[in-house]
Amino acid sequence: MDTETVTLFLALLAVMAQVAVVSAVVLVVGGRFSPSVRVVGQRVVAEIGPQALGLAAVVALVCMSGSLYFSQVAHFLPCRLCWYQRVAMYPLVVILGVSAITRFHRIRPFAAVLAGLGACVSIFHILVERYPNLETSSCDPANPCSLIWVEKFGYLTIPTMALSGFALILVLLAVARPAAQPLAQEAP
Amino acid sequence: MTSPENAPASRGPVVWYAALAVVMLLGVVAVVAARSSSNTVSNKVATAQTSKVKTGSSSKALPQLMDGKADAAIGQIIPAVSGKTLDGDAITIGPDGTSKVVVFVAHWCPHCQAEVPKIVGHLKDSPMPVGVKLLTVSTNVVKERGNYPPKAWLDRVGWTAPVMADSTDNAAATAYGLTSFPYFVVADAEGKVVTRVTGEISMDTFDQLVKAAETGKAPS
């Protein structure tokens, strides 16, 4: 499978992540005004909540695999800001994976801080890509952060994909909750 | 709010199957779309975007331009580098009795992508004075870095100055002491370096560089 195909696949996954994040925002905001939207939101949380930690771990795993593909297979050199995003994303694979298996839901705020920091770096990286003068006024021949290695659909660059991943992880952490325990039968 | 008793039971595997189905569907879409686009888009590049560059035997490479330090290249004779233009014609950049501004650009560099159209627009109103040449070197060509090929980019933005294709090991850029792009080297009629600048510049600064080439005096 060539780089073009894999890049397009990762870009499509990023679009799906964005759709999921926007849908979540719509359900939260719409739920404040419409009881029917609130019910839909509750059903979605009930369905996804118990699986959310695991899903977030898979999202982090896909993001990590994508970044490793870009650097190790496609030979797109990661820049300084790429490395900062990796520092935020890679531990999430382990933290969320172990937490999902052990059902340790108290990890949510800690994982959210890590994902939030990563998202902030992604946003700054996207700004540097669009406004290169934010960082420097010239290009380092080696590997400037302003270099756009890939761009899909006119806006999806590598840090945009990373931001989509961080945002989806944050949404999944927000809806994650333990599975409803069956009610204990009353003693006769 | 749904009470715990009324909460629907989570159908765990269904969520995972749905996620897997979406991922697989996107994978199929990516394969089909990439295959159809590779059939319709030709990546064929008509002329070589890099070319062998020969440095004159008596030429001495300029020292690298370092930030915050006095430029040791001032007064030094620019090296003569010979190669081919992006159109395949022979070209030599060196001391040839004419003042010149030599601009080094990289096709993938966003600062170069911003600077070149600015100069194109500026030259429409303020053409280069007679006796001062504007020459270009397309260097650091890396296909994977985007906006490739450099010829297509420079043609698209209306760049009309001659463009030398640097070699794959960036021999011309190295000979001229390049450390970053865009990079301007100004030489007087004797071939002596008057000033060097790196990074995006304003058109006022560009005019000062042209003036410096004309007069042989560095802008104050």
Side-chain angles (χ1 to χ4, degrees):
Chain A
M1 203 176 281
D2 63 358
T3 303
E4 175 64 23
T5 307
V6 176
T7 304
L8 182 58
F9 176 55
L10 292 171
L12 289 170
L13 287 177
V15 171
M16 283 310 296
Q18 291 160 11
V19 168
V21 170
V22 171
S23 303
V25 171
V26 168
L27 286 175
V28 168
V29 175
R32 290 183 179 276
F33 302 101
S34 162
S36 57
V37 174
R38 196 178 311 143
V39 169
V40 172
Q42 286 166 350
R43 283 199 64 86
V44 170
V45 170
E47 289 290 348
I48 294 177
Q51 312 299 327
L53 273 186
L55 289 170
V58 170
V59 172
L61 180 66
V62 170
C63 290
M64 185 182 78
S65 306
S67 81
L68 286 173
Y69 176 86
F70 282 138
S71 63
Q72 304 306 116
V73 181
H75 303 297
F76 298 167
L77 287 178
C79 70
R80 183 172 46 84
L81 291 174
C82 289
W83 275 109
Y84 294 158
Q85 288 160 86
R86 287 175 162 206
V87 165
M89 185 65 82
Y90 288 14
L92 283 172
V93 179
V94 178
I95 292 170
L96 293 172
V98 172
S99 301
I101 292 166
T102 59
R103 299 172 197 275
F104 183 62
H105 279 254
R106 286 186 190 171
I107 198 69
R108 289 166 58 209
F110 305 103
V113 168
L114 207 50
L117 289 173
C120 290
V121 177
S122 296
I123 290 168
F124 180 65
H125 197 172
I126 293 165
L127 289 173
V128 166
E129 284 184 333
R130 299 301 166 196
Y131 308 100
N133 286 325
L134 276 177
E135 199 177 45
T136 61
S137 65
S138 63
C139 288
D140 165 16
N143 197 21
C145 291
S146 52
L147 170 59
I148 296 176
W149 285 96
V150 295
E151 188 170 28
K152 291 288 174 192
F153 315 129
Y155 78 102
L156 256 177
T157 60
I158 294 175
T160 318
M161 295 181 200
L163 177 61
S164 309
F166 283 124
L168 183 56
I169 289 170
L170 284 169
V171 166
L172 288 167
L173 287 173
V175 301
R177 59 211 59 212
Q181 297 295 319
L183 291 174
Q185 286 189 338
E186 286 182 28
Chain B
M1 198 69 187
T2 311
S3 65
E5 301 90 77
N6 297 333
S10 170
R11 290 166 293 183
V14 174
V15 174
W16 288 97
Y17 293 151
L20 189 63
V22 169
V23 169
M24 288 178 69
L25 179 67
L26 293 180
V28 172
V29 170
V31 169
V32 172
R35 192 168 293 174
S36 62
S37 75
S38 70
N39 287 340
T40 54
V41 176
S42 171
N43 291 324
K44 196 175 172 186
V45 178
T47 54
Q49 301 300 294
T50 56
S51 172
K52 194 174 177 185
V53 170
K54 194 176 164 190
T55 308
S57 55
S58 60
S59 296
K60 189 182 166 193
L62 302 181
Q64 285 196 327
L65 178 62
M66 306 304 279
D67 277 345
K69 290 185 181 175
D71 188 353
I74 303 294
Q76 193 175 322
I77 300 292
I78 57 171
V81 288
S82 304
K84 289 189 172 176
T85 66
L86 290 175
D87 293 319
D89 302 323
I91 184 173
T92 297
I93 299 176
D96 57 5
T98 57
S99 307
K100 54 182 68 65
V101 177
V102 188
V103 190
F104 291 76
V105 294
H107 61 95
W108 49 264
C109 166
H111 294 288
C112 300
Q113 291 166 12
E115 186 71 23
V116 168
K118 273 197 296 185
I119 297 175
V120 169
H122 181 68
L123 289 177
K124 283 179 184 164
D125 301 327
S126 309
M128 294 294 286
V130 177
V132 181
K133 279 188 197 169
L134 176 62
L135 301 168
T136 324
V137 178
S138 163
T139 188
N140 219 278
V141 175
V142 183
K143 184 180 177 184
E144 290 75 20
R145 290 192 169 193
N147 197 32
Y148 181 88
K151 179 172 167 47
W153 162 52
L154 292 167
D155 286 348
R156 190 170 61 245
V157 297
W159 187 256
T160 53
V163 184
M164 171 187 266
D166 204 352
S167 60
T168 50
D169 60 353
N170 309 312
T174 305
Y176 274 74
L178 177 146
T179 51
S180 59
F181 327 106
Y183 176 53
F184 300 82
V185 178
V186 178
D188 64 13
E190 294 174 31
K192 288 180 181 170
V193 175
V194 180
T195 187
R196 299 190 296 175
V197 179
T198 190
E200 276 187 59
I201 58 171
S202 68
M203 289 306 98
D204 285 344
T205 306
F206 181 78
D207 284 340
Q208 288 174 9
L209 296 184
V210 174
K211 191 81 178 167
E214 219 172 4
T215 61
K217 290 179 182 170
S220 51

